[in-house]
Amino acid sequence: MKKSIFSKIFSLNIVTIIVGVLFLSVVQYIMMSQFVYREKVGDLKKNAQTIAGFIETGTAPEQLQSFLYGFSHSTGAGILIVDHKGDILLASAPEGIYDKNARRIDPEYTKDVFKNRENIEKGTLGGVYSSEMFTLQVPIVSASKNAVLGAIFISTAAPEMTRMQSHLGRIILFSLLLVILVSFGLSFALSRRLSRPIKNIVSTAKKFAQGDFSSRVDIGKHTGRIIEIDELTHTFNDMAESLEQSDSIRNNFISDVSHELRTPMTTIGGFVDGILDDTIPPERQRDYLVIVKEEITRLSSLLTSFLNITRLQADSRAFEPTVFDVNETIRRTLVGFESRIEEKEIRVNISLEKEVCQVKADMNSIRQVMTNLLENAIKFTENHGEIRISVGTRQQEAVISVYNTGCGIAEDEQKLIFERFYKADKSRSLNRTGTGIGLYIVKDILNRHGKDITVSSREGKFAEFTFSLDLAKN
């Protein structure tokens, strides 16, 4: 049977509290009962010692009997003084609890005390008392002969002890119910505090499932300053923002791709129809076929971008780390852009800390990284601008950076340029042919190497991308 998070938290708290309080109450009852028991025994022992003091001082039997009478009736205790044979010499007890015809106590109840051991008996002492008594037996010892001369039996009604324990039990039971009641209220409030933000998150997640990525969890309204709930809420909202951005990028990409596909296909179709129906004269057909070829190249580039995205999503590209000279890889990659660099008359400066810099990585994928970064740099560098490539070392890493002058990247776009399908500077013709996955591929490749890439830029001035690779061990 499914339960809500509120009912689970609430029931778990209640069960835990009840079990814990019951356990503590039982322990407390036992400890307090033992305390009451020890206190009562202590009181009886003090009284017995007082009587023993009178006996040792040689108090006359008449005076001792009078003292015992007053003492027993004021405290409600029964007092017996017996000799070493168990014969009752003196007795005093409240009316109705003592059998006045009793002359002797059965040896069964005196064997321990006559061995010079204090003893506690619970019962009627073989019929001496009419009801159960709690009796402390204290031996009377001769100081000169070190022999047991007799014993003092001082008794209190057993029901009195039971009443004290019963009263103690009622107090603990009342405290138990009060604690459970208060805990019930606190647990209810705590469960609501914990479950409400989670319910809010679930409700927002359902909106995400329906395609609404604009909803957010209200931070601080119901979290109650619980660190874990706050972190969950912030993380969820960050995820929501990322999903909303990705959805926006995807929608924009679909719109851009639809436009990019429609334009070349319309152009190709129109020119082909013109050639087939002789609308375009034979002497002009070659010129139009060149345009058709350029448009087909654009379509091919677009489809290649889709295939690259599919590979990344399927994680089908296996990396094979090898040791290679990253400087040489950069040189060879740069040669491939020679014509485009000369066309825009761009100055290229290469700064290498070492002539040879051996790294351990997947060479083909790192070449792809450099290709994408250089293509990006050349595209956004103005005519007669400058590109700088540097390779240095830091601890056990090679640090590579690609810098270019030009339009730069706006600060609010810097955190988005590595997103899939994102195209910065959409309003400018510089980025007309891009598909928005070059930097996404770069970041993905480096992440698979356990590395990251950072960007530093000033809009209208420059942009610089920096990443690192592990140096090869000697």
Side-chain angles (χ1 to χ4, degrees):
M1 181 177 179
K2 293 183 178 180
K3 294 183 179 180
S4 66
I5 188 170
F6 169 79
S7 62
K8 285 186 176 181
I9 294 174
F10 180 70
S11 59
L12 180 61
N13 286 342
I14 289 298
V15 170
T16 303
I17 290 171
I18 290 177
V19 171
V21 171
L22 281 174
F23 175 77
L24 291 176
S25 297
V26 170
V27 172
Q28 186 181 24
Y29 177 78
I30 293 173
M31 292 179 65
M32 293 186 68
S33 296
Q34 291 178 345
F35 174 78
V36 170
Y37 175 83
R38 288 193 299 269
E39 286 292 306
K40 193 63 178 178
V41 170
D43 290 342
L44 294 176
K45 190 171 183 179
K46 288 179 182 178
N47 295 335
Q49 290 173 345
T50 301
I51 296 171
F54 279 102
I55 295 173
E56 290 174 358
T57 57
T59 304
E62 295 80 8
Q63 292 178 337
L64 185 58
Q65 179 66 52
S66 177
F67 170 76
L68 295 181
Y69 178 82
F71 188 82
S72 66
H73 284 75
S74 63
T75 61
I79 305 171
L80 302 176
I81 299 177
V82 300
D83 61 14
H84 65 283
K85 296 179 181 179
D87 294 333
I88 299 174
L89 302 178
L90 293 174
S92 182
E95 193 70 29
I97 67 172
Y98 171 65
D99 183 4
K100 295 181 179 180
N101 296 320
R103 294 290 180 266
R104 190 176 187 186
I105 298 177
D106 193 293
E108 178 183 350
Y109 305 104
T110 60
K111 56 185 177 180
D112 288 327
V113 72
F114 288 157
K115 292 179 181 178
N116 199 13
R117 291 198 298 262
E118 288 186 2
N119 184 40
I120 295 176
E121 286 283 347
K122 184 178 180 182
T124 62
L125 295 180
V128 173
Y129 291 109
S130 59
S131 61
E132 279 201 349
M133 302 291 283
F134 186 80
T135 303
L136 173 67
Q137 302 174 350
V138 179
I140 301 174
V141 183
S142 170
S144 59
K145 298 181 180 180
N146 196 27
V148 176
L149 303 178
I152 300 172
F153 287 16
I154 183 166
S155 308
T156 185
E160 182 181 347
M161 292 288 293
T162 304
R163 282 195 302 272
M164 293 177 64
Q165 291 177 341
S166 176
H167 181 65
L168 179 62
R170 286 195 296 270
I171 293 175
I172 293 178
L173 180 60
F174 176 77
S175 302
L176 172 64
L177 294 175
L178 182 62
V179 169
I180 291 177
L181 183 63
V182 173
S183 300
F184 185 90
L186 293 176
S187 179
F188 182 84
L190 178 62
S191 300
R192 283 178 62 87
R193 178 181 293 182
L194 290 174
S195 63
R196 189 174 293 178
I198 296 176
K199 287 182 178 178
N200 197 359
I201 291 174
V202 171
S203 175
T204 306
K206 289 180 179 179
K207 294 180 181 179
F208 289 174
Q210 297 172 357
D212 179 12
F213 298 109
S214 61
S215 299
R216 297 291 185 272
V217 179
D218 189 7
I219 298 175
K221 185 176 181 181
H222 302 302
T223 60
R225 293 185 178 180
I226 301 174
I227 295 175
E228 291 78 6
I229 296 295
D230 279 345
E231 290 179 351
L232 176 61
T233 304
H234 282 287
T235 302
F236 188 88
N237 285 343
D238 290 343
M239 180 192 70
E241 184 176 354
S242 177
L243 286 173
E244 187 176 24
Q245 290 174 353
S246 298
D247 187 63
S248 176
I249 292 170
R250 179 179 59 82
N251 291 334
N252 292 335
F253 174 76
I254 292 173
S255 176
D256 292 343
V257 169
S258 298
H259 174 74
E260 294 289 343
L261 287 173
R262 188 183 301 113
T263 301
M265 291 177 69
T266 301
T267 302
I268 292 170
F271 289 161
V272 170
D273 289 340
I275 293 172
L276 291 175
D277 61 17
D278 294 327
T279 303
I280 299 174
E283 63 273 13
R284 297 288 308 277
Q285 288 181 4
R286 179 176 177 80
D287 296 334
Y288 284 98
L289 286 174
V290 170
I291 297 175
V292 168
K293 180 181 178 182
E294 291 177 352
E295 295 298 330
I296 290 175
T297 301
R298 287 184 59 197
L299 284 173
S300 177
S301 176
L302 192 60
L303 291 175
T304 299
S305 297
F306 275 116
L307 290 175
N308 287 334
I309 293 172
T310 303
R311 285 196 200 97
L312 289 172
Q313 289 178 335
D315 197 22
S316 60
R317 298 186 306 159
F319 288 166
E320 298 180 0
T322 58
V323 175
F324 64 94
D325 181 9
V326 71
N327 293 347
E328 183 63 21
T329 299
I330 292 173
R331 292 190 191 98
R332 292 184 179 183
T333 306
L334 191 59
V335 169
F337 292 98
E338 185 175 358
S339 61
R340 292 178 58 184
I341 292 172
E342 291 178 351
E343 181 183 347
K344 298 184 72 172
E345 299 182 9
I346 298 172
R347 300 186 308 277
V348 178
N349 294 317
I350 302 179
S351 175
L352 304 177
E353 182 179 309
K354 300 177 181 179
E355 183 63 25
V356 176
C357 183
Q358 299 281 359
V359 298
K360 186 173 183 180
D362 181 75
M363 186 172 64
N364 291 330
S365 63
I366 298 304
R367 182 175 294 171
Q368 179 70 52
V369 168
M370 290 306 305
T371 298
N372 290 4
L373 291 179
L374 286 172
E375 185 175 15
N376 209 55
I378 293 169
K379 183 190 301 183
F380 291 101
T381 300
E382 76 283 11
N383 292 340
H384 308 288
E386 181 183 12
I387 293 176
R388 302 176 198 162
I389 304 171
S390 67
V391 180
T393 58
R394 178 184 60 204
Q395 296 179 349
Q396 300 300 315
E397 293 181 323
V399 181
I400 300 102
S401 68
V402 178
Y403 169 98
N404 70 278
T405 58
C407 60
I409 305 168
E411 185 176 353
D412 59 342
E413 291 183 329
Q414 291 179 19
K415 64 179 181 179
L416 301 175
I417 58 174
F418 295 106
E419 295 287 342
R420 184 175 52 190
F421 306 141
Y422 186 80
K423 292 170 65 176
D425 197 21
K426 295 182 180 181
S427 63
R428 307 180 188 179
S429 61
L430 291 172
N431 200 24
R432 185 177 65 84
T433 60
T435 56
I437 69 164
L439 291 176
Y440 170 76
I441 293 174
V442 166
K443 186 175 180 65
D444 181 79
I445 290 173
L446 292 173
N447 286 164
R448 295 184 190 210
H449 281 80
K451 303 297 180 182
D452 202 358
I453 184 169
T454 60
V455 59
S456 174
S457 180
R458 183 180 299 174
E459 192 172 8
K461 296 292 184 181
F462 72 91
E464 182 177 20
F465 293 87
T466 305
F467 66 95
S468 63
L469 296 172
D470 289 330
L471 290 171
K473 295 181 181 179
N474 295 329

